[in-house]
Amino acid sequence: MNAFSDLLWGGFGIHEYAEPLHIVWIYSTQSRKALGNKYFDTIISIIENHESNNKYLELYDEHIF
């Protein structure tokens, strides 16, 4: 979980440090069931700790694209 948190800061090759980041989690209800509430909520908490004007999360129960 620490590594995931670090990746959200950026600067590791995927996106630059503090670069805007939009996370779309599709099938989030299925993910919650597969991961269990504890791990799902931990991941959400990590993402929310990084949320700001340039990072945000959207959860969807189905494929929206």
Side-chain angles (χ1 to χ4, degrees):
M1 295 296 175
N2 288 334
F4 178 64
S5 180
D6 289 345
L7 285 173
L8 292 178
W9 287 115
F12 294 98
I14 301 299
H15 62 278
E16 295 302 319
Y17 181 77
E19 180 180 337
L21 184 63
H22 179 183
I23 300 169
V24 177
W25 190 335
I26 56 173
Y27 302 111
S28 60
T29 301
Q30 291 175 333
S31 295
R32 181 183 285 278
K33 289 177 186 174
L35 292 167
N37 288 331
K38 177 182 175 184
Y39 291 113
F40 184 86
D41 291 342
T42 299
I43 292 168
I44 296 297
S45 177
I46 290 169
I47 294 168
E48 287 175 342
N49 285 336
H50 288 276
E51 282 188 329
S52 65
N53 292 335
N54 64 350
K55 289 184 176 67
Y56 58 98
L57 168 69
E58 293 182 72
L59 302 175
Y60 293 96
D61 290 335
E62 59 187 36
H63 196 280
I64 59 161
F65 301 103

